[in-house]
């Protein structure tokens, strides 16, 4: 019996609300993240798990509450009280789970009565053990049962008169959390909100304030108490929603629920934030001034935003608020300032500060990521500083960096490698960032060699690839493909699918560098082409077409020229279209008088990956209840199949097995001869 103990008080209600979806990284992480403390439920879950681990004497990782393990251990120790406690705790958790399942299945009255009777029984048991050596655990169980039964006023009384006097522990923290929820349920909303905020229970705060997140609500809370513990949470939520309105679609990071903020509401907020600072009632003027500056920047008032964020840097606030102000200053300054020596000195200092900061909640990593992607990389690229833009992308482990490497020309790759190896940089940004980057020189040798292969310069490819040891390739993610696949196999006749066992096989080692072997063979075969004639030349053209098709991004041996591929892979800039190259070679060979070779050439020209347009389109036929094939006679693949069909008809006899087994050819023939 393994289960996580869920303790967040309003979790049952909150779970009925949908979180914003996270689909892809658009680098729009929230910069106004002033509530950085770990969420209450996460914090106490970690502590309770560690408590169970300590009880069991475990020295290994312990990830969940395992009731059976604890009961067995307690029985061996003769700890009857612990056995009893855990068994009743399990009964309570089963009741909680039954409530959660009611989101999908409606309970009967009998189900509810049975559950409530169980809770009352557990409650009576726990109440009778409050003076035992496990008083805090049983008191927590007592309050939990009250919560589930709706005895909220009893929990208020029990906390205020009894539990609040207990020694400090994670169990007391959880009881206080339940007490805050009981205050909320009994109408003491302001005090409940303050407690949730002080405990960093952001989930419960969101549940309580979900429908009150607006400029008007924040102004009302400020007037109630200018230093309310709830205000940083509400202000953060408002500002991040405003940022979301500007960022548009993307990843919603750092906030539970997205709501739309209009420019009018945002403008009212930034003016109000300025007013709050002027009134002098808040203990954290930097919080409000930073919010004002960021809202101004988001809605297009960059110059005023820069003035206000500079002002925020001089005001009082918590350490986190001051950190947020400094991050916002970096972003706004980067967007507003010219790229000069003064700015670069400032930028280098700020990057160092951000990378040296503790990274527990990922805020500084995400903030630097956003600043690089949305401001700095483009700023340097427009200034002609392509290499600096690249190292900034590399610093934040950006996909843009690897994508740029993939699309660079051979000259650009060599220049970037020389830049990485050089040590004569005048820019403080380059001087700070470059030494902190991890790069493998062998990777660049391989990249440059592979890029030369992509433009069919085999001799230059070999110059670079010969510098790469075989051990490098045995560590690549594609080693299983390279081990089992062969570039001599005709892809239009045989696809080299790997079995699950082959894909998962470990410790495979290559006997030769696959890229070097391919480049050498292509160098030799193409070098001999000009001295061949007749059938030998036609066969060589076909054999070269096979190799180009296999080494293309759509081929089974894509690893010869690329480190990876996807279903949406396309030919990159600065690369030869190897599929098109294969087609060109096949067309040169199609005039052969050898019927067997001609059949293979014509069949190859109809291969789906060598044709941009399919020979048919599908359309739903409501009469047949199925899709209909609609021939596209202008498509290249249609014309290729037609030439193959005409050839088969003209030579008589039965087509070769590989033609007869082709389902697409069979479907084509059926429609071709019924036109």
């Amino acid at each position: 019996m393994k289960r996580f103990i869920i303790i967040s008080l309003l979790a049952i209600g909150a779970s009925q609300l949908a979180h914003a979806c996270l689909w892809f990284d658009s680098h729009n992480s929230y910069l106004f993240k002033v509530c950085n403390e770990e969420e209450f439920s996460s914090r106490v879950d970690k502590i309770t798990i560690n408590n169970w681990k300590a009880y069991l004497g475990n020295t290994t990782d312990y990830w969940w509450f395992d009731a059976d393990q604890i009961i067995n251990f307690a029985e061996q120790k003769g700890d009857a009280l612990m056995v009893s406690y855990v068994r009743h705790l399990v009964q309570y958790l089963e009741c909680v789970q039954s409530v959660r399942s009611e989101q999908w299945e409606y309970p009967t009255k009998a189900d509810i009565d049975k559950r409530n009777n169980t809770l009352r029984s557990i409650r009576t048991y726990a109440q009778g053990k409050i003076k035992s050596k496990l008083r805090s655990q049983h008191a927590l169980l007592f309050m939990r049962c009250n919560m589930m039964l709706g005895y909220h006023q009893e929990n208020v009384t029990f906390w205020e008169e009894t539990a609040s006097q207990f020694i400090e522990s994670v169990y007391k923290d959880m009881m206080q959390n339940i007490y805050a929820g009981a205050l909320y349920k009994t109408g003491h909303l302001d005090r409940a909100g303050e407690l949730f905020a002080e405990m960093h229970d952001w989930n419960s705060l969101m549940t309580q304030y979900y429908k009150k997140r607006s400029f008007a609500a924040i102004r009302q809370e400020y007037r109630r108490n200018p230093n309310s513990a709830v205000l940083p949470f509400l202000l953060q939520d408002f500002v991040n929603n405003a940022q979301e309105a500007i960022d548009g679609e993307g990843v919603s990071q750092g906030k539970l629920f997205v709501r739309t903020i209009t420019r009018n509401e945002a403008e009212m907020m930034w003016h109000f934030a300025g007013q709050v600072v002027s009134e002098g009632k808040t203990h954290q003027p930097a919080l409000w001034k930073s919010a004002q500056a960021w809202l101004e920047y988001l809605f297009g008032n960059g110059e005023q935003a820069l003035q206000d964020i500079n002002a925020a840097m001089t005001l009082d606030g918590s350490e986190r608020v001051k950190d947020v102000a400094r991050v916002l200053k970096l972003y706004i300054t980067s967007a507003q300032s010219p790229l000069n020596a003064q700015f670069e000195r400032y930028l280098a200092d700020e990057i160092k500060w951000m990378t040296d900061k503790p990274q527990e909640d990922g805020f500084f990593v995400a903030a630097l990521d956003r600043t690089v992607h949305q401001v700095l990389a483009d700023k340097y690229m427009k200034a002609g500083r392509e290499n600096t833009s690249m190292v900034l992308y590399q610093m934040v482990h950006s996909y843009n960096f690897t994508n740029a490497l993939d699309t660079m020309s051979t000259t650009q790759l060599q220049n970037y490698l020389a830049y990485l190896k050089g040590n004569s940089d005048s820019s403080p940004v380059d001087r700070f960032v470059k030494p902190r980057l991890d790069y493998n020189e062998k990777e660049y040798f391989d990249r440059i060699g592979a890029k030369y292969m992509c433009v069919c310069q085999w001799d230059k490819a070999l110059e670079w690839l010969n510098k790469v040891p075989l051990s490098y390739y045995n560590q690549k993610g594609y080693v299983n493909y390279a081990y089992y696949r062969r570039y001599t196999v005709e892809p239009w006749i045989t696809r080299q699918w790997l079995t699950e066992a082959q894909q998962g096989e470990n410790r495979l080692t290559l006997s030769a560098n696959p890229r070097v072997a391919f480049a050498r063979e292509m160098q030799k075969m193409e070098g001999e082409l000009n001295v061949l004639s007749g059938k030998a030349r036609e066969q060589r053209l076909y054999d070269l077409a096979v190799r180009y098709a296999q080494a293309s991004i759509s081929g089974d041996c894509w690893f010869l020229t690329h480190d990876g591929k996807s279903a949406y892979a396309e030919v990159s800039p600065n690369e030869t279209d190897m599929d098109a190259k294969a087609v060109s070679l096949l067309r040169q060979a199609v005039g052969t008088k050898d019927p067997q070779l001609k059949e293979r050439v014509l069949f190859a020209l109809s291969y789906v990956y060598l044709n941009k347009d399919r020979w048919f389109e599908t359309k739903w036929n409501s009469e047949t209840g199925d899709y209909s094939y609609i021939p596209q006679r202008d498509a290249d693949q249609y014309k290729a199949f037609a030439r193959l069909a005409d050839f088969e008809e003209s030579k008589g006899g039965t087509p070769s097995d590989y033609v007869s087994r082709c389902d697409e050819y069979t479907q084509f023939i059926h429609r071709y001869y019924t036109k």
Side-chain angles (χ1 to χ4, degrees), residues 309-326:
I309 198 61
N310 283 330
M313 294 288 293
T314 68
L315 300 175
D316 290 336
S318 68
E319 181 181 356
R320 177 56 170 224
V321 166
K322 290 182 177 181
D323 285 345
V324 167
R326 189 167 174 177

Side-chain angles (χ1 to χ4, degrees), residues 348-512:
D349 289 341
E350 294 308 285
I351 292 176
K352 181 180 186 305
W353 169 74
M354 292 181 74
T355 54
D356 287 346
K357 290 289 289 184
Q359 305 292 339
E360 287 88 352
D361 66 344
F363 169 68
F364 296 100
V365 171
L368 189 56
D369 177 88
R370 179 183 177 110
T371 307
V372 166
H373 282 90
Q374 297 188 357
V375 183
L376 291 173
D378 189 54
K379 190 182 191 78
Y380 277 98
M381 190 68 74
K382 288 179 178 178
R385 301 268 298 277
E386 181 184 61
N387 288 335
T388 305
S389 179
M390 286 288 289
V391 294
L392 288 171
Y393 276 138
Q394 187 176 357
M395 175 183 68
V396 296
H397 308 289
S398 172
Y399 171 76
N400 291 11
F401 170 71
T402 53
N403 185 60
L405 287 180
D406 290 341
T407 57
M408 278 183 169
S409 67
T410 55
T411 300
Q412 288 173 315
L413 277 170
Q414 290 174 70
N415 289 341
Y416 187 62
L417 176 59
Y419 162 77
L420 288 176
K421 294 170 66 176
N423 56 10
S424 59
D425 302 298
S426 58
S427 162
V429 173
D430 294 303
R431 287 198 301 271
F432 176 77
V433 175
K434 274 178 47 179
R436 289 160 177 79
L437 297 178
D438 291 325
Y439 79 94
N440 184 346
E441 191 175 40
K442 298 182 185 67
E443 177 187 351
Y444 284 89
F445 293 161
D446 181 57
R447 277 187 175 276
I448 295 168
K451 184 63 69 170
Y452 273 120
M453 291 178 70
C454 288
V455 293
C456 310
Q457 295 186 33
W458 313 113
D459 52 344
K460 290 186 176 179
L462 287 168
E463 289 179 18
W464 290 92
L465 293 173
N466 280 326
K467 300 178 183 180
V468 186
L470 181 59
S471 58
Y472 174 83
Y473 295 98
N474 283 323
Q475 302 301 317
K476 300 295 285 186
Y478 56 70
V479 66
N480 289 41
Y481 294 100
Y483 185 87
Y484 283 109
R485 291 179 173 178
R486 299 292 178 265
Y487 54 76
T488 54
V489 174
E490 299 153 284
W492 33 83
I493 295 178
T494 304
R495 294 304 305 273
Q496 301 181 70
W497 307 114
L498 264 62
T499 65
E500 288 188 15
Q502 289 173 330
Q503 291 182 47
E505 197 169 348
N506 295 323
R507 296 184 296 279
L508 292 176
T509 56
L510 303 174
S511 59

Side-chain angles (χ1 to χ4, degrees), residues 203-387:
N203 291 325
S204 294
L205 265 181
M206 180 56 72
T207 301
Q208 179 172 341
Y209 288 93
Y210 179 64
K211 295 182 179 180
K212 301 177 183 178
R213 299 174 302 139
S214 64
F215 161 68
I218 292 173
R219 180 176 58 182
Q220 180 180 356
E221 184 69 15
Y222 170 79
R223 288 175 175 169
R224 184 188 71 82
N225 178 2
N227 293 293
S228 166
V230 176
L231 281 171
F233 174 82
L234 293 179
L235 191 58
Q236 171 181 280
D237 182 81
F238 183 95
V239 173
N240 288 340
N241 272 290
Q243 180 184 305
E244 191 70 20
I246 300 302
D247 287 338
E249 291 187 7
V251 180
S252 299
Q253 300 175 16
K255 172 166 66 355
L256 292 178
F257 307 101
V258 175
R259 69 172 284 266
T260 301
I261 300 291
T262 64
R263 178 184 178 86
N264 182 57
E265 189 177 13
E267 191 168 350
M268 287 191 295
M269 177 58 78
W270 83 59
H271 286 308
F272 177 69
Q275 177 187 332
V276 168
V277 175
S278 299
E279 289 179 0
K281 297 177 182 178
T282 177
H283 297 329
Q284 295 209 79
L287 169 73
W288 295 90
K289 200 66 177 177
S290 298
Q292 179 185 8
W294 189 226
L295 289 170
E296 288 168 339
Y297 175 82
L298 289 171
F299 287 88
N301 196 348
E303 291 184 8
Q304 185 60 49
L306 187 56
Q307 292 181 33
D308 286 332
I309 198 61
N310 283 330
M313 294 288 293
T314 68
L315 300 175
D316 290 336
S318 68
E319 181 181 356
R320 177 56 170 224
V321 166
K322 290 182 177 181
D323 285 345
V324 167
R326 189 167 174 177
V327 165
L328 292 172
K329 175 177 167 59
L330 170 63
Y331 189 98
I332 296 170
T333 302
S334 298
Q336 296 294 117
S337 299
L339 183 51
N340 54 30
Q342 180 182 353
F343 170 75
E344 289 211 89
R345 287 192 296 271
Y346 162 75
L347 176 59
D349 289 341
E350 294 308 285
I351 292 176
K352 181 180 186 305
W353 169 74
M354 292 181 74
T355 54
D356 287 346
K357 290 289 289 184
Q359 305 292 339
E360 287 88 352
D361 66 344
F363 169 68
F364 296 100
V365 171
L368 189 56
D369 177 88
R370 179 183 177 110
T371 307
V372 166
H373 282 90
Q374 297 188 357
V375 183
L376 291 173
D378 189 54
K379 190 182 191 78
Y380 277 98
M381 190 68 74
K382 288 179 178 178
R385 301 268 298 277
E386 181 184 61
N387 288 335

Side-chain angles (χ1 to χ4, degrees), residues 38-308:
E38 186 176 15
E39 211 283 329
F40 177 79
S41 61
S42 175
R43 179 179 68 83
V44 299
D45 277 345
K46 288 179 182 177
I47 297 173
T48 53
I49 288 297
N50 285 334
N51 285 352
W52 288 121
K53 178 179 177 180
Y55 178 78
L56 293 169
N58 278 2
T59 57
T60 58
D61 289 334
Y62 184 79
W63 298 106
W64 51 70
F65 168 68
D66 186 338
D68 292 338
Q69 181 183 9
I70 295 168
I71 290 172
N72 290 338
F73 183 82
E75 286 177 337
Q76 291 175 13
K77 285 181 61 177
D79 191 348
L81 181 60
M82 180 62 77
V83 171
S84 174
Y85 167 69
V86 173
R87 284 176 175 163
H88 283 86
L89 177 59
V90 168
Q91 291 179 26
Y92 165 79
L93 292 173
E94 289 171 349
C95 291
V96 172
Q97 186 57 43
S98 72
V99 172
R100 291 186 181 281
S101 66
E102 288 173 8
Q103 297 177 47
W104 308 102
E105 300 176 2
Y106 292 108
T108 65
K109 183 177 183 301
D111 291 335
I112 296 173
D113 288 343
K114 180 181 178 181
R115 182 176 66 227
N116 288 344
N117 286 335
T118 299
L119 287 168
R120 280 190 282 268
S121 174
I122 300 168
R123 176 180 178 276
T124 300
Y125 157 79
Q127 190 174 23
K129 300 293 183 179
I130 289 176
K131 293 185 179 181
S132 70
K133 67 176 183 179
L134 296 179
R135 66 183 309 212
S136 293
Q137 289 92 324
H138 285 94
L140 173 61
L141 185 57
F142 173 72
M143 292 188 73
R144 282 173 161 171
C145 292
N146 283 340
M147 176 182 67
M148 294 289 289
L149 290 165
Y151 301 164
H152 302 300
Q153 185 55 54
E154 186 165 346
N155 269 341
V156 170
T157 303
F158 179 74
W159 169 264
E160 291 178 349
E161 295 181 357
T162 305
S164 61
Q165 308 302 315
F166 284 11
I167 62 171
E168 297 302 319
S169 69
V170 67
Y171 310 107
K172 183 178 180 181
D173 291 343
M174 288 189 277
M175 285 187 278
Q176 186 181 30
N177 187 257
I178 294 175
Y179 167 65
L183 289 174
Y184 171 75
K185 292 291 187 178
T186 54
H188 303 284
L189 304 184
D190 293 338
R191 181 59 184 143
E194 293 276 354
L195 282 174
F196 285 139
E198 290 168 5
M199 287 184 282
H200 314 137
D201 186 351
W202 314 127
N203 291 325
S204 294
L205 265 181
M206 180 56 72
T207 301
Q208 179 172 341
Y209 288 93
Y210 179 64
K211 295 182 179 180
K212 301 177 183 178
R213 299 174 302 139
S214 64
F215 161 68
I218 292 173
R219 180 176 58 182
Q220 180 180 356
E221 184 69 15
Y222 170 79
R223 288 175 175 169
R224 184 188 71 82
N225 178 2
N227 293 293
S228 166
V230 176
L231 281 171
F233 174 82
L234 293 179
L235 191 58
Q236 171 181 280
D237 182 81
F238 183 95
V239 173
N240 288 340
N241 272 290
Q243 180 184 305
E244 191 70 20
I246 300 302
D247 287 338
E249 291 187 7
V251 180
S252 299
Q253 300 175 16
K255 172 166 66 355
L256 292 178
F257 307 101
V258 175
R259 69 172 284 266
T260 301
I261 300 291
T262 64
R263 178 184 178 86
N264 182 57
E265 189 177 13
E267 191 168 350
M268 287 191 295
M269 177 58 78
W270 83 59
H271 286 308
F272 177 69
Q275 177 187 332
V276 168
V277 175
S278 299
E279 289 179 0
K281 297 177 182 178
T282 177
H283 297 329
Q284 295 209 79
L287 169 73
W288 295 90
K289 200 66 177 177
S290 298
Q292 179 185 8
W294 189 226
L295 289 170
E296 288 168 339
Y297 175 82
L298 289 171
F299 287 88
N301 196 348
E303 291 184 8
Q304 185 60 49
L306 187 56
Q307 292 181 33
D308 286 332

